[in-house]
Amino acid sequence: MTDCVFCDIVAGLSPAARVYEDDAVVAFLDIRPLARGHTLVVPRIHSSGLADLDAPSADAVFSAGRRIAGALRRSSIGADGVNLLVNDGRAAMQTVFHHHMHVVPRWNGDKLRFAAQLLTRRPHELDEVARVVREALAHGN
Ligand code: AMP
Ligand code: ZN
């Protein structure tokens, strides 16, 4: 184990509901999701934030985020829209200091449900949701 929870997940030392991985990034479901299917994309190489993030990792994170956004729309999760979000720095509400991008599915008219979930952030059957997203990724780019 290291002192970084996302490095531990990347190394397979900590559990996570993985949905996607390639040479540069690993993506897994957020343990306290803002919505069903809320995914985090993290570079394999540790950087604490945007300032020390290498350019190829930055490209790979965005590219994976784009693909996962498509999967969240195509799959039975059925998102109508997606927020891609990076919190960079404590002032911006970053709490895990290993750079990551949030991929958050949104639905038409979900504002109230979204606001309620901001307060509760309960996990939704992570393994089942991860399976659905993986399957959609296998059938699209
Ligand atoms: P941020 O505020 O952008 O730093 O968000 C960090 C996110 O990481 C939060 O949404 C947490 O719920 C999520 N998180 C923290 N630890 C884990 C973990 N072990 N597995 C999955 N997600 C995590
Ligand atoms: Zn790390």
Side-chain angles (χ1 to χ4, degrees):
M1 303 281 263
T2 70
D3 57 1
C4 172
V5 61
F6 288 175
C7 279
D8 288 346
I9 288 174
V10 166
L13 299 173
S14 285
R18 292 184 181 223
V19 303
Y20 174 81
E21 56 194 289
D22 61 28
D23 289 350
V25 305
V26 176
F28 50 89
L29 297 183
D30 193 301
I31 204 165
R32 296 184 64 224
L34 291 171
R36 188 168 185 267
H38 178 176
T39 300
L40 300 174
V41 184
V42 314
R44 288 185 183 274
I45 299 172
H46 179 92
S47 62
S48 56
L50 291 172
D52 57 336
L53 176 67
D54 66 280
S57 290
D59 291 348
V61 167
F62 190 84
S63 174
R66 184 193 70 82
R67 288 194 58 192
I68 292 161
L72 293 173
R73 285 173 177 267
R74 275 197 310 280
S75 68
S76 61
I77 289 169
D80 299 313
V82 175
N83 290 125
L84 295 182
L85 176 73
V86 172
N87 297 327
D88 189 57
R90 212 174 291 278
M93 299 191 306
Q94 184 177 5
T95 59
V96 176
F97 290 85
H98 177 132
H99 172 74
H100 53 279
M101 174 183 274
H102 296 257
V103 187
V104 186
R106 301 296 304 268
W107 294 268
N108 295 326
D110 74 353
K111 281 201 188 79
L112 275 181
R113 186 159 42 121
F114 192 76
Q117 189 69 19
L118 264 174
L119 300 176
T120 57
R121 301 189 64 170
R122 280 200 206 91
H124 308 247
E125 332 90 71
L126 294 178
D127 290 341
E128 170 60 12
V129 174
R131 189 190 62 72
V132 163
V133 178
R134 279 197 303 269
E135 202 169 290
L137 279 166
H139 297 101
N141 68 357

